[in-house]
């Protein structure tokens, strides 16, 4: 599991072990006969240049259970380099994938799953990348998606385990003490919540022999000694199911990150995800006009004909929006201050929140009027690479938020003024003003209409 390994201290007492080998019946019994009571195994993934599966199978689970071994599951489909943790939505994707894999293998309720940080993370990388990753994982594990009430564990150097656990994002630690070259192990005490402590690598003599890591065992995590009855899948079926879960998790995370800054995610989650079908998530009425909000999810991306502009979203090494992205958003919001309309600052902040949440892809916008006198403002966020590494499955997605303003009666109408190329280049700020442009003077709209306009604060009325 380590980039830098050493033989550690082979004389330490080891009741636990972990390995990347799919165990057969004889190997499981040999481990128990050698005095091991707990074994750590991987939920998903492959190992080596030939991509040999390291993922547990249901048959292997039965072998370990029959041999009297307790199993602590490990999740690692990356995690051995810093950029992995900077990838957008990685924690949400990994959490949902791990939960699904553990359920398919029959792990009982309350089992702790250890998520790996398998590189020499420095303090700033822990703060900027690793902790936010575990914050995402913790959020999923505390949601309804985790019906089995699995717990979060952390695997990594002592400093990583300490920092993640001290923030409440992991219940127990699996310490990578075998990685003596890691700075995060030098001079730091073992975390108080350590459950397993990896300290020595060797070849275990069985049929056939296989690499094994010795782990000390504290007793804080009893691991799973009995498993639920579940449907049996072939290893290939499990791999496909886990891959599909990763992609679907990435899509759900993208939808959430687009809608949460606008305040609509709570309305949307109750709907079944159906591509290219609009879902109405909110309706507001005033004495002058109605405002409806529709959400459309599609796997069609890149279709921006007729849209006013596109903002490219990118983050720097710290996970923050790049200066270029921030400048694009700020530059797209013209400075204006109209009575009863507020300012472009509100709209700009909303776009910043979406971009900061999504972290990759694009944001586009457009405005249109209908023959019935409605005005429609669309904001679209999209990505063509939601789940890097999940080749063979669709990973594209776009989420469009449509604000539909409908006049009530004959006292109010919307007007689309002529827009020169120079005006179009001004961008979102102009679009926002047009979207709220009311031909009838405010004093003819009435107090309710004026209050509603002011309440809009560009896009803030339903947020």
């Amino acid at each position: 599991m380590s980039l830098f390994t050493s033989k550690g201290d082979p004389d330490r007492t080891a009741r636990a072990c972990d390995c990347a080998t799919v165990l057969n019946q004889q190997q499981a019994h040999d481990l128990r006969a050698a005095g091991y009571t707990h074994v750590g195994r991987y939920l998903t993934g492959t190992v080596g240049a030939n991509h040999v599966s390291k993922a547990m199978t249901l048959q292997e689970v039965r072998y370990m259970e029959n041999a009297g071994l307790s199993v602590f599951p490990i999740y690692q489909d990356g995690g051995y380099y810093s950029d992995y943790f900077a990838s957008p939505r990685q924690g949400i994707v990994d959490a949902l994938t791990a939960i699904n894999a553990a359920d398919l293998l029959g792990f009982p309720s309350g089992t702790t799953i250890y998520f790996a940080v398998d590189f020499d993370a420095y303090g700033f990388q822990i703060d900027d990348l690793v902790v936010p990753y575990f914050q995402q994982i913790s959020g999923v594990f505390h949601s309804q998606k985790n019906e089995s009430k699995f717990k979060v564990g952390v695997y990594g150097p002592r400093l990583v385990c300490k920092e993640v656990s001290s923030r409440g994002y992991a219940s127990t630690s699996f310490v990578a003490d075998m990685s003596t070259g890691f700075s995060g192990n030098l001079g730091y005490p073992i975390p108080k919540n350590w459950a397993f402590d990896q300290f020595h690598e060797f070849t275990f003599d069985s049929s056939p022999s296989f690499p094994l890591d010795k782990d000390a065992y504290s007793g804080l995590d009893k691991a799973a000694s009995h498993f639920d009855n579940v449907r049996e899948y072939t290893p290939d079926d499990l791999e496909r199911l886990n891959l599909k879960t990763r992609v679907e998790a990435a899509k759900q995370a993208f939808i959430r990150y687009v809608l949460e800054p606008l305040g609509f995610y709570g309305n949307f989650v109750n709907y079944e995800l159906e591509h290219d079908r609009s879902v109405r998530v909110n309706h507001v009425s005033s004495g002058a006009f109605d405002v409806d909000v529709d959400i459309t999810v599609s796997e069609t991306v890149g279709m921006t004909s007729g849209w006013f502009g596109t903002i490219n979203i990118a983050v720097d090494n710290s996970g923050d929006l790049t200066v270029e992205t921030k400048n694009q958003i700020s530059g797209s919001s013209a400075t204006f201050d109209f009575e009863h309309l507020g300012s472009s600052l509100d709209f700009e902040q909303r776009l910043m929140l979406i971009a900061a949440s999504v972290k990759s892809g694009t944001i586009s916008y457009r405005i249109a009027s209908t023959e019935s006198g409605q005005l429609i403002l669309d904001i679209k966020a999209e990505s063509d690479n939601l789940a890097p590494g999940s080749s063979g499955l669709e990973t594209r997605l776009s989420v469009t938020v449509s604000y539909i303003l409908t006049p009530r009666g004959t006292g109010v109408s919307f007007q689309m003024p002529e827009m020169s190329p120079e005006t179009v280049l001004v961008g979102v700020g102009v679009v926002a003003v047009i979207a709220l442009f009311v031909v009838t003077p405010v004093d003819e709209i009435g107090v309710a209409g004026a209050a509603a306009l002011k309440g809009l604060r560009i896009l803030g009325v339903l947020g």
Side-chain angles (χ1 to χ4, degrees):
M1 290 182 66
S2 307
L3 292 177
F4 305 104
T5 63
S6 71
K7 292 303 180 183
D9 180 5
D11 296 327
R12 291 179 61 186
T13 301
R15 292 176 55 197
C17 60
D18 67 273
C19 63
T21 302
V22 179
L23 301 175
N24 61 33
Q25 186 175 20
Q26 185 62 52
Q27 290 167 327
H29 279 285
D30 287 345
L31 283 174
R32 189 65 185 89
Y36 293 99
T37 57
H38 295 68
V39 58
R41 287 286 292 113
Y42 292 89
L43 290 171
T44 63
T46 61
V47 64
N50 295 326
H51 301 289
V52 177
S53 177
K54 63 178 180 179
M56 275 181 281
T57 66
L58 194 57
Q59 184 62 67
E60 179 191 8
V61 165
R62 290 170 180 162
Y63 290 152
M64 292 186 289
E65 183 179 22
N66 291 337
L69 292 168
S70 296
V71 186
F72 56 99
I74 308 162
Y75 182 85
Q76 184 177 17
D77 278 330
Y80 47 85
Y81 53 95
S82 61
D83 284 352
Y84 180 85
F85 299 94
S87 179
R89 302 167 292 279
Q90 193 67 61
I92 292 178
V93 172
D94 288 358
L96 291 172
T97 304
I99 289 170
N100 180 70
D103 279 333
L104 290 174
L105 291 168
F107 276 91
S109 177
T111 299
T112 299
I113 301 173
Y114 292 88
F115 291 84
V117 181
D118 209 2
F119 75 104
D120 191 12
Y122 296 105
F124 74 94
Q125 292 171 314
I126 295 173
D127 291 338
D128 295 341
L129 303 176
V130 175
V131 167
Y133 169 79
F134 275 91
Q135 185 178 28
Q136 290 183 24
I137 292 173
S138 178
V140 173
F141 270 61
H142 284 88
S143 74
Q144 294 180 350
K145 299 291 185 181
N146 183 18
E147 294 182 358
S148 296
K149 306 300 181 184
F150 295 132
K151 299 176 183 177
V152 180
V154 54
Y155 167 86
R158 294 182 175 199
L159 182 59
V160 167
C161 293
K162 171 183 175 295
E163 293 300 324
V164 171
S165 299
S166 66
R167 288 167 169 83
Y169 299 139
S171 59
T172 51
S173 295
F174 176 16
V175 185
D177 264 339
M178 194 170 63
S179 302
T180 56
F182 281 0
S183 61
N185 280 331
L186 301 177
Y188 294 99
I190 192 167
K192 293 180 180 180
N193 71 339
W194 77 274
F196 304 99
D197 183 23
Q198 182 188 68
F199 64 88
H200 177 62
E201 181 183 19
F202 71 109
T203 299
F204 183 75
D205 187 16
S206 185
S207 299
S209 300
F210 61 96
L212 187 70
D213 295 335
K214 285 186 177 183
D215 305 327
Y217 168 65
S218 73
L220 283 183
D221 181 3
K222 304 299 183 184
S225 58
H226 300 285
F227 293 80
D228 300 334
N229 292 323
V230 292
R231 175 183 173 183
E232 186 167 2
Y233 293 93
T234 67
D236 287 343
D237 287 339
L238 281 174
E239 187 64 27
R240 282 192 291 270
L241 285 169
N242 288 330
L243 183 58
K244 183 179 179 180
T245 299
R246 289 181 63 81
V247 173
E248 289 304 314
K251 290 179 178 179
Q252 290 291 344
F254 186 80
I255 292 170
R256 176 176 183 173
Y257 283 156
V258 173
L259 299 185
E260 271 192 335
L262 297 176
F264 300 133
Y265 184 66
N267 306 60
F268 187 77
V269 291
N270 294 324
Y271 295 93
E272 289 293 327
L273 178 58
E274 187 175 327
H275 295 301
D276 298 313
R277 182 178 71 90
S278 294
V279 174
R280 181 147 295 173
V281 296
N282 217 334
H283 173 85
V284 172
S285 296
S286 77
F289 54 86
D290 296 334
V291 182
D292 294 292
V293 180
D294 290 352
I295 307 296
T296 307
V297 177
S298 175
E299 290 186 347
T300 301
V301 302
M303 303 295 290
T304 56
S305 177
W307 294 72
F308 281 104
T310 298
I311 299 167
N312 295 308
I313 308 169
V315 296
D316 56 27
N317 292 333
S318 69
D320 191 18
L321 292 176
T322 62
V323 174
E324 182 179 358
T325 296
K326 291 179 179 179
N327 288 341
Q328 284 188 59
I329 294 174
S330 297
S332 295
S333 298
T335 300
F336 64 89
D337 188 7
F338 292 84
E339 187 177 6
H340 305 300
L341 291 182
S343 71
S344 65
L345 179 61
D346 301 289
F347 191 29
E348 178 181 332
Q349 288 175 338
R350 295 294 173 123
L351 292 182
M352 285 286 189
L353 285 171
I354 295 174
S357 296
V358 171
K359 294 186 182 298
S360 68
T362 60
I363 298 176
S364 304
Y365 41 85
R366 68 180 175 184
I367 190 168
S369 59
T370 67
E371 292 182 358
S372 59
Q374 292 177 315
L375 201 68
I376 302 174
L377 173 63
D378 292 326
I379 300 177
K380 178 169 66 174
E382 60 184 16
S383 174
D384 59 3
N385 190 20
L386 288 172
S390 299
S391 59
L393 291 177
E394 293 290 339
T395 60
R396 302 185 301 269
L397 203 70
S398 70
V399 180
T400 303
V401 181
S402 300
Y403 294 81
I404 305 165
L405 284 75
T406 305
R408 303 187 69 182
T410 58
V412 179
S413 62
F414 298 110
Q415 176 178 303
M416 287 287 290
E418 295 183 4
M419 297 182 66
S420 67
E422 294 77 11
T423 304
V424 172
L425 290 176
V426 173
V428 179
V430 172
V431 173
V433 172
I434 298 170
L436 301 177
F437 185 79
V438 180
V439 176
T440 307
V442 170
D443 57 358
E444 295 183 20
I445 297 175
V447 176
L453 273 177
K454 187 174 183 181
L456 278 171
R457 301 289 296 176
I458 310 307
L459 295 181
V461 64
L462 305 179

